[in-house]
Amino acid sequence: MSLPFYQRHHDHYDRAYRHKALQSTVSQYQKETKSKSAVYAQGSTAYARGSAAYRHASAADFSLESSAAYSRGSSAYDLESAAYSYGSTAYDHSAAQSKRSAAYTKRAKQNLISEDKENEAIDYSVPIFTGRVSGITDTEEERIKESAAYVARRNLFATGEGVSVSKVAKSSSEEERHEKKSRKVAIRESAERVALKKTLEDTQAFHKKLNQDKLLHPPEFIIKPRSHTVWEKQNVKFHCTVAGWPEPRVTWYKNNVPIDVQTHPGKYTIENRYGLHSLEISTCDFDDTAQYRASAMNVKGEISAYASLVVKRYKGDLDASLLHAGTVSMPLSLGVTPHGYASRFEISFVDKFDVAFGREGETMSLGCTVVISPDIKRFKPDIEWYRNGVLITPSKWVQMHWTGERASLTLTHANKEDEGLYTLRVVMGEYYEEYSGYVFVRDADAEIPGAPGAPLDVQCLDANKDYVIVSWKQPAVDGGNPILGYFIDRCEVGTTHWTQCNETPVKFARFPVTGLIEGRSYIFRVRAVNKAGISLPSRVSEPVAALDPADRARLRSHPSAPWTGQIIVTEEEPAEGVVPGPPTDLQVIEATKNYVVLSWKPPGQRGHEGIMYFVEKCVAGTEEWQRVNTEIPVKSPRFAVFDLAEGKSYCFRVRCCNSAGIGEPSEATEATVVDDKLDIPKPPGRIMPTRNTDTSVVVTWTEPPDAKELVGYYIESSVVGSGRWEPCNNNPVKGTRFICHGLTNGEKYIFRVRAVNAAGLSEFSQDSEPIEVQAAIGGGLLHGVCPELSGKAGGLTDCTTSWEGMHESSQPIFDTDALLKCNAKFNRDPLPSSSDKLGSTGDNNMREMVKDAVTSAPQKVAAKQATAPSPPYDITVLESVRDSMVLGWKQPKVTGGTEITGYYVNYREVIGGVPGKWMEANIKAISERAYRIQNLKENMVYQFQVAAANLAGVGTPSLPSQPFKCEEWTIAVPGPPHDVTYTEVRKDSLVLLWKEPVYTGRSPIAGYYIDMKETEAKEEHWRSVNEKPLQKKFLKIGGLTEGVSYVFRVRATNQAGVGKPSNTTDPVIAETRPGTKEVVVNVDDNGVISLNFECDQMSPNSKFVWSKNYEPIEDDSRLDIDTKGGKSKATFKDLGEDDLGIYSCVVTDTDGVSSSYTIDEEEMKRLLALSHEHKFPTVPLVSELAVEILEKGEVRFWLQAEKLSGNAKANFVFNDKEIFNGEKYKMKVDQKTGLVEMIMDKLEDKDEGTYTFQLQDGKATNQSSLVLIGDGKLIYTVQKARKNYIRVGPHFVDKLGWEVTDDCNVMLKCKVANIKKETHIVWYKDDREIMVDEEHDFKDGVCTLLISEFSKKDTGTYEVILKDDRGKDTSELKLTDTAFADLMNEVCRRIALSATDLKIQSTAEGIRLYSFVTYYVEDLRVGWVHNDTQIRFTDRVKTGVTGEQIWLQINEPTPQDKGKYTMELFDGKTAHKKMVDLSGQGRPFILLISPAYRARVLGGLPDVVTIQEGKALNLSCTVWGDPTPEVSWLKNEKSFVSDANCILKFESGKNVNFTISAVSTLDSGKYSLVVKNKYGTETSDVTVSVFIPEEEQENKKEDKKKKA
C-alpha cells in the first residue's frame, strides 16, 4: 500500500509499525479467515439491492442462508460483526450511534472450481470482529478496525491467501439446517440487542434533557471542532462550543499531550469568548499534523471531542529524506479520499482563460474546462475562486458556475476593485490543482472629456453613533490635469437620495463624515474632481450602521430579548441625575490641512443615562476656549474639527453633558499643528524592465525612502518616441515587481512608476531604459532550466510557468514562494559542494532567478546622469565538471557613476576553432562575480563573455575569453582562489581579501599563500608574504614602500599540495591619499562604546558597509549601526569576548575609502575600564566627614564637596541604616557651597557607631564615613555643654510629638520644664487657636492634646506656646505630607489590629462576611481574597463599610463561592489578615448559600396600582422557598389579615392571591407581602391608590351640602 508523503514519517501510518492492539486484531482476523474461508463459485455473482441472496451459477440448489441481508435503507449490524466487500466496508462500531445504511458492494472476484467439486457442500462465513479493544479511544478503535480490515482484505483478494476451498465432512441435512438456523437466529438476536440498547440510550438521553433545569449539569459539546487540511505556512483555527454548569474548563491536547501556550510563544493562541472556545495554530508546519482534542471538565464530569489536522506540502517541497527506506515513491497527485485509502487523481485544465482586459461597467467572464481522471461520480470536486489569494464568495458583483465539466466566474459589473490575479482551485479530497490568470480593468469613458477616473476601494472605518471615517484609493488616471480633490456622497440604505458630505474637495484619501443619525445604515461613494470636471462615482461601499461599537457587537452576538409580558402600570419620577465627570485619554488621532480628528474615552462617573459631548478649541498658548459644536452635542467619542487655520497650533478639550448638566472639561491635548502629518511619498527608484513574453515585460523598482503607509504603486508604459503614457494597472499593486501585459511585440517601451498613500500620489520615477518587447530565450527560460517548461512562453497564464510571470505586487496574503511551490514543478534540492553560493542556470537555483537582481539604495542620482559600465575582464574558469563550468571575472574599471546592479553571461561553442552563435546563460542579472553555467556538453570547447549593468543600462560585453574545454577536473590540488581584492591602502600597508576556490581538490583546503611583487618586476620576482599557510581569507600586508606599485596573487593548498594561483590583482600604489580618515573608537558620557567613521568623498549612491573580520555582520544582536549623512557609528550593546576581532568599514561608490579598527583583549579591557569610569563618575570632595560640638551641646557632622549642582542630594546612614530629618537629626545640603551637614540634638551611648554621608549628583556619586566608637571624651564634652546651657523661663524639654492611643486616637504631647502656676499653654493649628475645655495641670511636666478619630481633615501644622512673665517658648509639629502619612500609617495599623474576627451572616440577598473595627478611615485599604485569589468586585460580589463594620456581600451565591476568605487590612506597610472558612458553618454549604432554598417572591406584583373606587382589585404572585415559606401581609407597616372585604389566599405552597371585591378610598395604602423561612426573608411592596371620578366627587359634595 502506498501512502501520502505527509503521512510517511509518522509511525502510526507506517506498515512496519502498528499498535499492539492492531497487530492482535489483524492476527485474529487472519486466523478466522483461514479457518472459515469463503468459496466463490464460477460465474457471475448478483447482489440485489433489497436482498442478500447469494446464488452460484452452476449450483442453483445451493443457497447461503447465513449471509447477511443488505439494504440501503435499513440494515442492522451488531458491534461484533462486520461485512466486507471489495472496495467498500460497513461498520457499526458503536451501539450508541444510529443504524448506518450498508455500503454499495462491487462485483466479487471470481474463483474457478473444478466440476467434480461442484456438488460438494461449500462453507462461506462472514469474517467478524469480536470484543472491544481496551485502553484506546473510540477514534483509535475505529482507525484500528479500518486498518485491520484493509490489510486483511488486501491479503484476501490480492494474494489469494484468504480464499480457499475445503471439503466439509458429510453430515445429515438436519444438522446443516440446525447450524444455519442457529446462525440466522444469532444474527436476528444481535440486531434486537442493538435496537434495545439504542432504545435505552435514547430514553436516558431524553431524561437527561428533561433535567436540564437542575443547577448543575455535566459538560456537553454543542458544536464540536471539525478536522482541517491546510497547506504549510497557513494558519488554522479549531472552534467548539461547550455548555454545562458550572462553566466547564476547556483544555486542548495535541496527540493526548496538553498544549502549553507559554512553551511555544506565538505558535498557539487559546481563547474563550462567551463560551466559544478556539485554538489557533499559526504558520502550520509538517509537525503540526496530529490529532487534537478539546477536553471540557467541571464538577459533574468530563467530555472530549476530537479533530484532526493534516498539513500538506506543496509538490515542489517533497523531501525524500522523510520517506521510509524500502517504500516506493508516491506520485505527487496522490491524495486521501473519503474512503480512507490512497487514490490518484490527474487534474488538468483545458480551454484555459488568458490574461483578460475589460472596462468598468462591462461584464467579464473567466472560464476553464476541468478534466479529472479517474472520474468518480460520487466524489465531486470543490471549485474555489481566489482574487489575489483571497477566497471569493458569490455576491451581486460576482457569480460562479460549475457545470460538472467547466468552471466559470462572471463579473456582472466590472470595477477597478475587481482587477487582480484570479486563481481557479479544483479540490479533490486532500489534493488540489490551481490555474491563475490576471484580469485588468480599465476606467470607463468619462462623461466629461478630461475628467479623472473614478476612485476605488471605498471603505468605512471606525463607525460610531454619528460618525464614520471613509477611505478610498486614488485613481491611476487623472485625465491630463492634476486631481484637485474628492467629493464624498452618502445615501441612507433603503433610499436613492445621495447627499454630498463636503462642500470643498478634500485631497487626503480619508474623510470623517459626521451628522449621521444613530441606528440608521448608510452607503458611501467618492468622486474625483479636476479642472476639467468631476469623475464618475466609485463603486459604493458596504453598508455601515451608525451604532456604538459595543452595541454593534452585542447585536451580532445576542438576539434581542423576547417580550416578557411585563406591564408598566404607572410612571415613577426619575431619580436625580448625576453630572458626568471629564472624559479621559483625549488625543488627536489624525491631523490634515482640512480637519483634525479627536478621540477620547467616556468618563467613569456618568450616572445611568446616556451622555453627549461638547468639544472646545483654543489657539495654543492662550486660554480663550471656544465651543466647536455649539448647537448639537456629539454622541460618539470621536469628532472631526473643521474650519481650522492651516499652519496654526491648537489645543482641544471635551466636556460631557446629560440632563443633570455639563461636567468639567478633560485635560487639554498638546498643541497640534494643522497640517498633513502624512507626507506624499517620494518617487520610487531604479526602474528596471526585463523581458518576459512576446506581449509582456517584468518591471522591478525599489521602494521610495522614508515611505509611510504605502497603499501601492501605479505603473505606466509608453512606446519610445510616442510621448503618450498608458496605465499598466488601475488598482494599486503592493511589492516592487509587476508584469505589464498587453504590449506590442517588437516595439520598444519605457516605464515609470509612482507610489500611492492616503496623502496622494508621488511624482513619477525616472523613466526606465527602453526595452524591446520579445520573449526571453526559451520562452522566458533557458533550455534545461526546467525540462517541463521548455518551449513554452513564460506568461502568467501558463500554469506550469507562472513562476516567471507571477505578480508579487498583487499578492497581499501569499508570497511568490508559495506560488512557486504550487505551480512550478521542479526539484529544489540544494547544489552540492561549493556551488551553493553561486548563480546557476540549472533547475537547482530556480529560486535565485526569481529574486530581483536589484538592491535598494538611495535614489538621488537620475539614471540619465550615469553611463553604462565598461566591460568586465580577466574571465577565468574556477571549476569544471562534465556538464557545467564556474566562471569568475573582475569588476569593470569604470562603473559609469553608479553602482553595478548585476552581470549577464553569454557563451558559445567553438568547434574546430570556429566559434558558434552567442547564447544567453542567464536571464536575470546576477550580483556575484562568479557564476555556474550548466547543461554544457562534455569535452566541448567554449568561449565566454560578460557584460555589466547599472541604472544607465547594460554595458558593452567583454572580449571573448580564452577557449575553455568543458571536462571533469581530476587534479588533486585545489583550484585558484577568486575575487582577490585589496582595501585600506596606506603608504606602508594594505589589506588583501579573497574567496576560497570553487574546486577544492581531493581534500579540504588547508590554508593559503600570498605572493607579491612590484608591478614592473619579472615573473621570477614573485615572493611569498607568509611562510606558513593562513587559515583566514584576509591578510594585512605591511612593509610596503611608499609610492611603489605592487600586484598580488593567492594560492590555496591542501594535503596534495599547492594549487594554481589566482589572477593577479590590479596594480596598486602604496600611498595614503589626502583626506584619508581612520575608524575612531569613542566612549560617551553614558559609557557607551562605539566605532565611528567619517567620509567626505561620498557620492549620492554611496553607503557605509561594516564588517567583522572582513565578513558581513549578520548578527545585529551585539552591534547597532547608525548612519547619518557622511558619518556612520557602530555601537556595541555589551562589549565582551564575543566582540573581539577586526572591524572594517568600506564606503561604496568611492575611490576605495575604507578603514578598520582591531579590538583585542587588551583594548577591550581598556575600553571597558574607560566605560566604567564614564558610566559611574565620582563627586570630588574638599574635606572628608568631620564632627564638632556646638554651644548647646549639639553635635555637628559635616563635609564639603568641590561643587554640587542643583540636583545634588545626600543620604545619611548610621550603622547601615538610613536616618532622616526629624527631632533628633537636622540635615541640610547647600548646593552653592557644597556643604553637607547634620546636627544631632544630643549624643548618647546608644549613638556610637559609623556615620556615612552618601552624595549623588546626576550620575556622579561619592561617600565619606566617620566612626564614633568608644569615644567617651566626646560624649562627656557634649553632656557638659548641655548642662552649661540653662534656660531661665518656661521651656520645652522634649519638642512636640505624637503617639497613637489604644483607642486609635492621636495624642499630641510635649515635655516642659520650669513651669509655675501662672504659666499658660496655648495650642494652634494652622495659625488658628484651638479651644480646649480643660486647663492643663502640667502633671509630670507633660502637656497633651487628644484628637479623636484622626483623619485627613486633621492634617496641618500644630504649634504649642508656653508663656508667663519670665518669657515664652514655642514648639511646632508639621503633620503634612510625609509626616502625616507616617502618622496615618500608625493609625491604620492600630485600627487594623482592633479588627474582630470575620463572621458570617445570611441575608435576603445571599451571604455577608463582616468584621468590626474601632473606627474606619479612608486611608485604611481593604482587600478580600478568595482561595488565594484576589476578588474582583462585581454587581454580585460587593464590599463596603457601614459605620465600624467592614463587609463583603455575596449575592446569589453558588458552590464556586465555597472556600477560604481573607480580609486584608493594609496600613501602608503591613497587611493584617482575618480569615474565615466558608464551608457551611455547621450545616451543608448548599443550604447556606443556594438561592433555591431561601424564601423569595418570584414576581407578579406591580409597584403601584391606581384604581377607581368601586372596582375589583385582584393581585397575584408566585413565591418560592424550601421549606415552604410562611406568608403574611402588612398594610402601612402593620399586620393585615384576611376579612370579608379583602380575601388573602396562599395555595399550593407557591401561589398568593390578594382580592378586594370593591375598593374604596379606605383601601388606599402600602401593602407588603412578607415571605419567610429559616433561610431568609423577602418583602415585596405594592402601593394601592384609589381615586374617585370628578363627577362622583361633585355629587358627594352636593349630598354633603344638602345634608348640612
Side-chain angles (χ1 to χ4, degrees), residues 843-981:
D843 57 357
N844 296 321
N845 239 345
M846 185 66 64
R847 298 181 74 171
E848 295 299 326
M849 299 184 63
V850 178
K851 292 182 180 179
D852 293 335
V854 183
T855 57
S856 60
Q859 305 300 310
K860 297 182 180 179
V861 175
K864 294 181 180 180
Q865 297 177 351
T867 58
S870 63
Y873 59 100
D874 280 356
I875 301 175
T876 185
V877 174
L878 303 178
E879 184 187 37
S880 177
V881 293
R882 291 182 303 172
D883 59 350
S884 67
M885 303 173 75
V886 178
L887 300 183
W889 59 87
K890 291 183 180 179
Q891 181 175 318
K893 295 182 178 180
V894 179
T895 61
T898 183
E899 184 180 353
I900 298 293
T901 58
Y903 298 92
Y904 295 92
V905 181
N906 299 329
Y907 67 98
R908 66 184 179 184
E909 298 177 353
V910 179
I911 302 175
V914 178
K917 183 180 178 181
W918 287 108
M919 292 176 287
E920 293 181 349
N922 62 309
I923 300 172
K924 302 285 288 186
I926 55 176
S927 57
E928 296 286 339
R929 291 196 295 276
Y931 188 66
R932 179 180 294 276
I933 304 176
Q934 291 195 347
N935 302 304
L936 302 180
K937 300 177 182 178
E938 188 175 6
N939 296 322
M940 177 65 71
V941 177
Y942 290 92
Q943 280 186 315
F944 304 93
Q945 66 179 11
V946 183
N950 62 8
L951 281 178
V954 180
T956 305
S958 64
L959 295 175
S961 69
Q962 298 178 4
F964 297 107
K965 189 175 183 180
C966 182
E967 59 183 353
E968 185 85 27
W969 282 3
T970 59
I971 56 177
V973 295
H978 65 101
D979 204 7
V980 183
T981 58

Side-chain angles (χ1 to χ4, degrees), residues 464-466 517-518 548 611-613 633-638:
N464 227 297
K465 293 181 181 179
D466 54 0
I517 300 175
E518 184 178 0
D548 186 273
I611 56 173
M612 293 184 287
Y613 307 93
V634 182
K635 295 181 179 180
S636 304
R638 303 280 192 280

Side-chain angles (χ1 to χ4, degrees), residues 1482-1499:
R1483 61 178 182 269
F1485 178 77
I1486 189 66
L1487 298 180
L1488 177 67
I1489 68 173
S1490 175
Y1493 299 95
R1494 191 173 64 252
R1496 293 181 296 168
V1497 179
L1498 298 183

